[in-house]
Amino acid sequence: MDNSLPPADELALVDRELARLDARRSQLLARRAWLLRVLYAPAPSAPGPFPSAPGARPTASGPRPPVADSTPRSAQNVLLTLGGTLLTIAAIAFTLVSWGSMGIGGRSVVLFAVTSAALAAPVALLRRSLVSTAESVAALGLVLMVLDAYALHRVALPETDGLGYTAVAAAVLAGAWTAYGSALSRLRIPLPVAVVAGQLPLPLGVLAAGGGPTAFAWAALVTAAADGALILWTRPASVRITAAVGATALGGWALLTGGWLSLTSPWSGAPLLLAAAAPTLYAARRLPPLAVTASAVAGLATVAAAGGLLRPAVPTDWTVPVYVLCGLALASVWRLSAATTGDGAAEETGWRLPGGVRLGLAGAGAGVAALGVVWALPPVAVGLLGPMARTTEVWSGEHAGRTLTSYPGTAVLVLAVAAAVLTAVPRLWARGGALALAWALLTALPVSLGLPYAATLTLQLLTTAAALACAVRPGPLTRGLRRPEPVEGSGTPEPPTAAPAAPGAPWGAWAPSRPRPQAPAEPGTVLGWIAYAAGLMSALSALALALDVREATFAALGALLLLLVGVAVLGAGARRVVAACAAVLTATGLVIAVAAAAGLEDHWTALALLLVPAATAAVGAKARPVALPVEITGAVVALPAFALAASRPAFLALALALGGVIAAATAVRPERRRFASWTAAALFLLATWVRLAVWEVTTPEAYTLPVTVPALVVGFLRRRRDREASSWTAYGPGLAATLLLSLVAAWTDPEWPRPLALGVAALVVTLLGARFRLQALLVLGGAVLALDGLHELAPYVVQAVGALPRWLPPALAGLLLLAVGATYEQRLRDARRLRDRVARMR
C-alpha cells in the first residue's frame, strides 16, 4: 500500500489514535454507570457531576443493581388492569346470577351505591395524582352503568323492544360518558367508550323501526359522517382513532349497500353513494395524509352512482362501456383542475383540488377504466390463441368454415376509447399502453365482430405489418414526449474512488465519489420493443390461422418473409437480429410447405431443407451485422433435415455430404474457418460412415482410417509449420481414433489376423516415436503393443499357470518383491530417467 507518511511517523499516529479511542471508551463506560445509578437508586437524588476524566467510576457504594425486566409504571398498570378486570367480572356475575335473590329495593340500592362510588372515586384519586388507579375504577364504573341499563330493562321495562331500548340506552350512555369524560379530562377511557356507544343508536333505531337495508345504510352513513366530524374537530388521539374505526366500518357498509343497490335499484343506490362520496371527499381535502385513499373511495362511489343511473337506459352489451366512460370522465379531473404552462408549472384555473385529492380521483377513474379493459381482453386472447388450438390436420379448413361471435362487439369499443385516451397523455407509459391497446383492438376485432376467415387473416397480416413498421420507425409514437432526464444515482454505482488525503491525515482517510447519473431508456427504444413483440405475436397467430388453407399458407408465409426481411434490413440492434433469424425460420416453413404441396417424401424434403443453410451461408458472407445468428439458425435447420433423411440411409449419407459441402464453403471465410472446417470434416466423416453402413461394412478400421489419415496429414503439416507444437496435438487424435478402437475389436476377435496387424502397426508407431522423439507415438504405440501382446499371450499364460503347483505363483511373487526391494533405489533412478526422457519428447 502506498502510504502518505513514513512508517515511523505513521506508527506514532496510529498509537495516538488508539490511545484516544481507549480514553473515549472509558469515558462512555463511566457515563453509563452513572446513568444506571440514577435510574435504579432507591430514592430520588440530584444528578452528580459528569465523570469526564478517563477511567472515572461511580461513587455509589455497594454492587450495581441488576437491570429490571420491567419498569415500576408498567408493573402498576398490569396490577390495576387485573384488579379492574376482576371487579368487572364480579359485577357481571352478581348482576346475572345473584340478582334474583334480592328484593327490588335492595337491588336498586346496591346498583346505585356501587355505580355512584365507582364513578365518584376517580375524582378523589385524580386529586392525589393517582391517574392509573382512577382509570381502572372509572372503567369499572362504565361497565356498571351498562349493567344498570340491563337491570333496568329486566326489572322496570321488561315489555320494551330490545333493539329500541338498546338504541335509547346507547344514546343515553354515550351522552353520559361524554359529559363524564369532559368533566374529568385526565381520564382517557370515557371519551373513546362514548364514541363506541355512539355508533349504535341510529342503526339499532332503524332496525327497531322495521327499516330495511336502505334505511340501515343511511343510518350507518349518518353515523359515519358524525364520526368524520369527530376526526376533524376533536383533539384527543384516542377519540379520533376510535371514530376513524367506526367511520370506516359503517361508511364501508353504506358504500357496499349503495353499490349493491346501484345494480338492483339505481335510484335508491345513487343518492346513497353520492351522499357517502361528499363527506369522504371533504375529509380528503381536510386530511392530507388520507387524501389519496379517501378521494379514491369517493371517486369509486361517484362512478358507481353515475353508471348505475345510466345502465338501465342502454343495452346489456353497453353496460361496461358506460362505466368506463364514467371512469374516464372522473379521471379527466386531473387535467381539468390544473393547467400547465410551457415549462410544465401548474397554474390556477379558478378552482383547484389538492394534489392528493386529484390523484385519488384520477386513480379511481383509471382503475374503473382498467377493469373495463380487463373485461375486453377475452376476445383478444381468443383472436390471438384461438388459431393455435388446432385439433385437425393442416390444410383441413378447421377455422376457415366458422366464425367466433361469442363476445360483445362493445369490447373493441372499450379498447379503442382506452387507447385514444392514453394517446393524449404525454407520458412514456401512456404511449406504451396506447400502443398495446391498439394492437389488442385489432386482434380482438375479428372475434368481436365475427369477421370471415379471409378478412380475419388479412387483418392479422396488416396488424403484423403495422406493428413491425412501428418497431422499425418508432419516431411518430414519441411525438410530444420530452427526452428523459438522467436520474441522479440511478443504475449501478461506480466503485468509490479515494480522494487525495490531506497532509498528515491517516492512511485510511478517503472520500467516496458520487455515482454518475445514468440516463433512462430512450422512449423510441421502449415503444419499439412493445411494437416488435406485438408484431411477432400477431405473426405467429396469422401463420397458425393460415395453416387451414393451402393458398393462405403460401400467402401468409410469403408476406411474413418479406416483412421480416424488411425489418432485418431497415431495423437496428437486437430487433434486427431477431427479425433475421425469424426470416430464416419463415423461409424454412415455406420450403416445407412447397415440399408438402408437391407431395415429396421425407427424404426428398430433407434435401430441399438443405437449401436454407446454403442460403444462410451465402447471406452471411454479405450481411455482416446479422451473419452469425443467421448462419446458426440455418445450421439448426439442417438438423431436422438430417432427421427426415434418417429413414433412407443412402439419402442420409447424401444429406450429410451436402451439409459438409456447405460447411466447407463457409470455411473459406477467415472468420469462420476454424469452426466451419471442423464441422465440414465431421459431416464428411459421418457421411462416409453412413455409406459404409449401407454397404454393410463391419470392419471398424473402415470407419476410423478415414479419420486417421487426414488427421495425421493435418498434424504433419502443422508440425512443419510450428516446430513447437506438441505431438499429442498433432498426432494424438488421429492415432487414438484407429489404435484404440482396433484394440477393442482385437480383444474380442477370436481370429489372429487383426491382432497381428494391430501389433505390427503399433510396433511401427512405437519405433517412429522413438526415432523422432515423439511422445504421443511412443506412448500410444507402446501401450497398444503391450496390451495387444498381453491379449495374445494370455491363453498361454493361463495354461502355464494352471500346470504349475499352487505354491509356485506366491513364491515367485515373493521373490520378485525381494528383488525389487533390494534394487529399489536403482529401479527408482531408472524410472526417473525414463520419465525424463519421455517428458523431453514433443
Side-chain angles (χ1 to χ4, degrees):
M1 182 179 294
D2 185 16
N3 301 326
S4 60
L5 295 176
D9 296 339
E10 184 178 353
L11 179 61
L13 177 62
V14 170
D15 290 339
R16 287 196 300 271
E17 290 292 329
L18 291 175
R20 185 179 62 82
L21 291 175
D22 289 338
R24 180 59 178 167
R25 183 175 185 275
S26 300
Q27 184 180 5
L28 293 175
L29 287 174
R31 178 64 176 175
R32 179 178 182 275
W34 177 81
L35 292 173
L36 289 173
R37 187 176 71 252
V38 171
L39 287 174
Y40 301 107
S45 60
F50 180 78
S52 60
R57 293 292 184 268
T59 57
S61 60
R64 187 178 64 186
V67 178
D69 292 332
S70 62
T71 63
R73 182 171 295 276
S74 63
Q76 177 192 14
N77 292 335
V78 170
L79 294 176
L80 292 174
T81 302
L82 290 176
T85 303
L86 293 176
L87 287 175
T88 303
I89 294 174
I92 295 174
F94 171 78
T95 304
L96 297 179
V97 178
S98 301
W99 184 261
S101 61
M102 300 180 63
I104 185 63
R107 301 172 192 173
S108 303
V109 170
V110 169
L111 277 177
F112 180 77
V114 174
T115 304
S116 301
L119 294 176
V123 178
L125 293 173
L126 289 176
R127 292 176 181 175
R128 296 177 177 271
S129 300
L130 300 176
V131 180
S132 299
T133 307
E135 293 278 3
S136 300
V137 178
L140 175 61
L142 300 181
V143 175
L144 289 174
M145 291 181 71
V146 177
L147 295 177
D148 288 342
Y150 169 75
L152 180 62
H153 179 263
R154 290 291 304 273
V155 174
L157 303 170
E159 303 299 329
T160 307
D161 179 64
L163 287 176
Y165 179 82
T166 305
V168 174
V172 173
L173 290 176
W177 290 342
T178 301
Y180 185 74
S182 301
L184 302 178
S185 59
R186 298 177 63 183
L187 296 179
R188 294 175 296 178
I189 293 179
L191 290 179
V193 174
V195 174
V196 174
Q199 311 301 309
L200 302 178
L202 284 179
L204 294 182
V206 168
L207 293 179
T214 305
F216 183 84
W218 277 103
L221 180 59
V222 172
T223 306
D227 291 332
L230 291 177
I231 296 172
L232 295 175
W233 294 311
T234 57
R235 295 181 59 107
S238 58
V239 174
R240 300 177 67 183
I241 294 174
T242 307
V245 174
T248 302
L250 295 177
W253 180 265
L255 288 172
L256 292 177
T257 304
W260 174 71
L261 290 174
S262 69
L263 300 177
T264 58
S265 179
W267 291 101
S268 298
L272 180 61
L273 289 172
L274 294 177
T280 306
L281 188 61
Y282 180 77
R285 291 177 60 90
R286 291 293 304 273
L287 301 173
L290 301 178
V292 176
T293 303
S295 58
V297 172
L300 292 175
T302 304
V303 172
L309 292 176
L310 296 176
R311 182 178 54 83
V314 298
T316 304
D317 292 345
W318 287 83
T319 300
V320 174
V322 163
Y323 281 98
V324 170
L325 292 177
C326 294
L328 293 176
L330 180 64
S332 64
V333 172
W334 178 266
R335 301 287 297 176
L336 294 177
S337 60
T340 55
T341 60
D343 58 354
E347 288 183 343
E348 296 292 339
T349 60
W351 65 284
R352 175 181 171 85
L353 294 174
V357 176
R358 290 193 296 127
L359 180 60
L361 293 176
V368 173
L371 291 177
V373 171
V374 172
W375 170 82
L377 288 182
V380 179
V382 172
L384 182 65
L385 303 177
M388 302 180 187
R390 181 172 302 281
T391 58
T392 58
E393 296 181 357
V394 176
W395 296 345
S396 63
E398 176 189 4
H399 295 89
R402 62 187 179 94
T403 57
L404 300 175
T405 58
S406 58
Y407 295 96
T410 52
V412 295
L413 176 63
V414 171
L415 295 175
V417 171
V421 170
L422 289 179
T423 303
V425 179
R427 294 290 185 272
L428 177 59
W429 62 267
R431 295 291 172 86
L435 182 60
L437 289 177
W439 169 81
L441 167 64
L442 295 176
T443 305
L445 198 61
V447 178
S448 296
L449 302 184
L451 298 181
Y453 175 80
T456 300
L457 181 59
T458 302
L459 183 59
Q460 286 192 346
L461 291 176
L462 292 176
T463 302
T464 303
L468 293 180
C470 292
V472 174
R473 292 290 182 266
L477 300 175
T478 63
R479 192 167 299 158
L481 293 180
R482 292 183 299 173
R483 185 181 181 88
E485 299 294 336
V487 181
E488 186 70 21
S490 62
T492 303
E494 297 181 355
T497 56
W507 56 266
W510 58 275
S513 60
R514 299 180 64 185
R516 297 179 181 177
Q518 182 179 0
E522 291 290 336
T525 303
V526 176
L527 298 178
W529 273 111
I530 294 175
Y532 194 60
L536 292 181
M537 289 189 290
S538 294
L540 290 175
S541 180
L543 181 58
L545 184 63
L547 292 178
D548 287 331
V549 180
R550 178 181 302 182
E551 294 78 7
T553 300
F554 286 104
L557 286 173
L560 292 177
L561 182 60
L562 292 177
L563 290 174
L564 292 172
V565 170
V567 175
V569 173
L570 300 177
R575 295 194 290 272
R576 183 178 189 180
V577 174
V578 175
C581 297
V584 174
L585 296 178
T586 305
T588 304
L590 192 58
V591 171
I592 295 175
V594 172
L600 299 181
E601 297 182 7
D602 289 346
H603 52 279
W604 290 110
T605 303
L607 297 181
L609 279 177
L610 292 178
L611 294 174
V612 176
T616 56
V619 171
K622 302 296 183 181
R624 295 304 175 91
V626 295
L628 182 59
V630 164
E631 292 178 63
I632 292 176
T633 307
V636 172
V637 172
L639 298 179
F642 298 150
L644 288 174
S647 58
R648 296 288 187 91
F651 279 88
L652 177 59
L654 178 59
L656 291 171
L658 292 176
V661 171
I662 297 172
T666 307
V668 175
R669 294 156 52 193
E671 68 275 11
R672 301 285 186 266
R673 182 164 300 162
R674 178 182 296 274
F675 180 78
S677 60
W678 283 100
T679 303
L683 291 175
F684 284 133
L685 179 61
L686 290 174
T688 305
W689 286 357
V690 173
R691 176 54 62 181
L692 291 174
V694 172
W695 290 338
E696 298 182 355
V697 176
T698 58
T699 304
E701 288 77 11
Y703 296 89
T704 56
L705 285 177
V707 179
T708 298
V709 174
L712 292 178
V713 172
V714 173
F716 177 74
L717 296 177
R718 167 114 184 241
R719 290 272 298 175
R720 288 187 60 183
R721 188 174 55 190
D722 184 10
R723 293 290 182 181
E724 299 298 326
S726 171
S727 62
W728 287 101
T729 303
Y731 303 118
L735 291 175
T738 295
L739 292 179
L740 297 182
L741 291 178
S742 298
L743 179 62
V744 174
W747 271 67
T748 58
D749 191 352
E751 303 297 332
W752 60 270
R754 176 180 280 118
L756 178 60
L758 178 61
V760 172
L763 178 61
V764 171
V765 171
T766 303
L767 294 177
L768 289 175
R771 169 66 181 80
F772 295 103
R773 300 173 60 81
L774 299 176
Q775 187 181 106
L777 276 66
L778 182 62
V779 173
L780 284 175
V784 171
L785 181 60
L787 294 174
D788 185 65
L790 177 62
H791 173 265
E792 294 302 312
L793 293 176
Y796 303 102
V797 172
V798 171
Q799 184 179 2
V801 171
L804 294 175
R806 294 182 178 275
W807 56 267
L808 187 57
L812 293 177
L815 292 174
L816 178 62
L817 291 176
L818 289 176
V820 172
T823 59
Y824 174 75
E825 294 183 358
Q826 182 62 35
R827 302 286 79 77
L828 189 59
R829 285 194 294 271
D830 295 342
R832 288 173 179 170
R833 282 198 296 270
L834 177 62
R835 182 196 62 187
D836 295 339
R837 290 176 182 174
V838 174
R840 284 195 295 270
M841 297 181 179
R842 298 298 300 168

